[in-house]
């Protein structure tokens, strides 16, 4: 079996899993080796800064006891919607590869965020846990 014979859905799943794994490894390396607020100068014009976000967009949080559950359910629904969208795109023959690549990157980011949400403060010692 050659790479060309592998179904596109398997390729999408492989790349998604690989990207989520890389994302989690990098986050763990940063968490174990840097303090919150530390900066790494990659280029003179590009710095990485370690920050923690206990909520969702821009640190916003849903109040109450059920906020994290509501956000988690929303994230799961959106991951399902993205997977459904990618499956529909893969059935079409006129979709550019770049669209699929972009959708896979979004899916991997969403899954990575869901993993962070599930284990944040449970596996890692954080200031908010």
């Amino acid at each position: 079996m050659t790479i060309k014979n592998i179904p596109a859905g398997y390729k999408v799943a492989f790349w998604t899993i690989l990207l989520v794994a890389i994302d989690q490894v990098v986050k763990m390396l940063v968490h174990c080796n840097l303090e919150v607020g530390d900066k790494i100068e990659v280029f003179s014009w590009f710095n990485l800064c370690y920050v923690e976000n206990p909520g969702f967009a821009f640190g916003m949080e849903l109040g109450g006891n059920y906020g994290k559950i509501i956000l988690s359910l929303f994230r799961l629904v959106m991951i399902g919607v993205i997977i459904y969208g990618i499956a529909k795109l893969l059935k079409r023959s006129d979709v550019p590869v770049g669209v699929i690549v972009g959708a896979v990157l979004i899916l991997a980011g969403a899954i990575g965020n869901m993993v962070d949400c599930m284990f944040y403060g449970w596996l890692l010692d954080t200031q908010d846990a």
Side-chain angles (χ1 to χ4, degrees):
M1 178 178 256
T2 65
I3 291 178
K4 289 183 180 181
N5 294 342
I6 298 173
Y10 289 153
K11 292 177 188 176
V12 165
F14 169 79
W15 284 108
T16 301
I17 292 167
L18 180 65
L19 288 168
V20 170
I22 290 169
D23 175 59
Q24 293 303 309
V25 167
V26 168
K27 287 176 184 173
M28 193 58 63
L29 287 172
V30 167
H31 181 78
C32 292
N33 295 300
L34 297 176
E35 296 291 326
V36 174
D38 285 353
K39 291 182 182 180
I40 299 174
E41 184 176 325
V42 179
F43 301 108
S44 61
W45 50 271
F46 182 74
N47 294 322
L48 294 176
C49 182
Y50 177 29
V51 297
E52 291 182 348
N53 181 1
F56 57 106
F58 308 109
M60 293 185 287
E61 295 184 43
L62 287 176
N65 297 330
Y66 299 104
K68 189 169 182 174
I69 294 170
I70 293 168
L71 282 176
S72 296
L73 291 173
F74 176 75
R75 288 178 178 123
L76 284 172
V77 168
M78 292 314 298
I79 288 169
V81 168
I82 296 168
I83 291 170
Y84 177 77
I86 290 173
K88 293 295 260 184
L89 288 173
L90 289 175
K91 291 180 181 176
R92 296 178 50 181
S93 61
D94 62 339
V95 177
V97 174
V99 173
I100 303 296
V101 169
V104 167
L105 290 170
I106 292 168
L107 176 61
I111 293 171
N113 287 341
M114 187 67 209
V115 170
D116 295 342
C117 174
M118 290 185 329
F119 297 110
Y120 194 86
W122 182 51
L123 293 177
L124 304 175
D125 245 352
T126 64
Q127 59 194 14
D128 295 321

